[in-house]
Amino acid sequence: MRIQVSHDLLDRQLVDVDGRLIGKVDDVEFALDAHGTPYLRTLLTGPGALGLRVGGRIGRMLVLTAERFVSDRPMVPLRIPYGFVARIDSAVWLRIRAEDLPTSPVELWLRRHLIGRIPGAGRAGG
């Protein structure tokens, strides 16, 4: 399948197999196959990926702000292998559940500092 990354992928909503929103495609990663042909290997999402894509002062500020307020370690993008993509239309639909992906530092921070403080939140989604 042939796609135009900037038109078909970047800034598209990521949706898991159950219809849950995961985030947006902030950047992509390419690799070379055994013959030297480039292919799309990974979708990247999160402040770390977006900051690198934006670049310059604004991109650095995005990453540093996320690191300062959300995590005590570098903002590493969530990496989703392109093989997990089921289809692409107005969104990028994955063939796996959100729970099967690593939890992003942003989501962990939100759970700990915001969601966890809401009365009854510990029983939500059960």
Side-chain angles (χ1 to χ4, degrees):
M1 179 169 105
R2 189 177 190 104
I3 62 169
Q4 184 177 358
V5 171
S6 63
H7 181 265
D8 297 329
L9 282 177
L10 294 179
D11 300 320
R12 297 283 173 117
Q13 186 69 52
L14 288 160
V15 184
D16 81 352
V17 72
D18 297 323
R20 290 181 46 203
L21 304 179
I22 296 172
K24 289 194 175 196
V25 178
D26 293 314
D27 207 348
V28 297
E29 181 179 79
F30 291 93
L32 299 176
D33 68 12
H35 304 288
T37 305
Y39 68 95
L40 181 57
R41 176 170 51 188
T42 312
L43 305 178
L44 305 172
T45 185
L50 183 59
L52 291 173
R53 184 175 130 211
V54 169
R57 286 184 180 169
I58 293 174
R60 283 192 305 278
M61 186 175 64
L62 236 171
V63 173
L64 291 174
T65 301
E67 287 174 351
R68 183 176 300 134
F69 292 106
V70 176
S71 178
D72 58 353
R73 59 181 194 242
M75 258 308 119
V76 177
L78 176 61
R79 305 166 63 81
I80 302 172
Y82 188 69
F84 290 167
V85 174
R87 75 177 193 274
I88 301 170
D89 49 34
S90 62
V92 177
W93 295 82
L94 303 179
R95 59 180 91 250
I96 62 170
R97 301 179 73 198
E99 295 82 29
D100 297 331
L101 295 170
T103 305
S104 75
V106 173
E107 186 172 342
L108 288 173
W109 186 90
L110 289 170
R111 284 182 192 170
R112 192 173 325 125
H113 296 284
L114 294 177
I115 305 300
R117 294 175 186 233
I118 298 172
R123 296 185 305 274

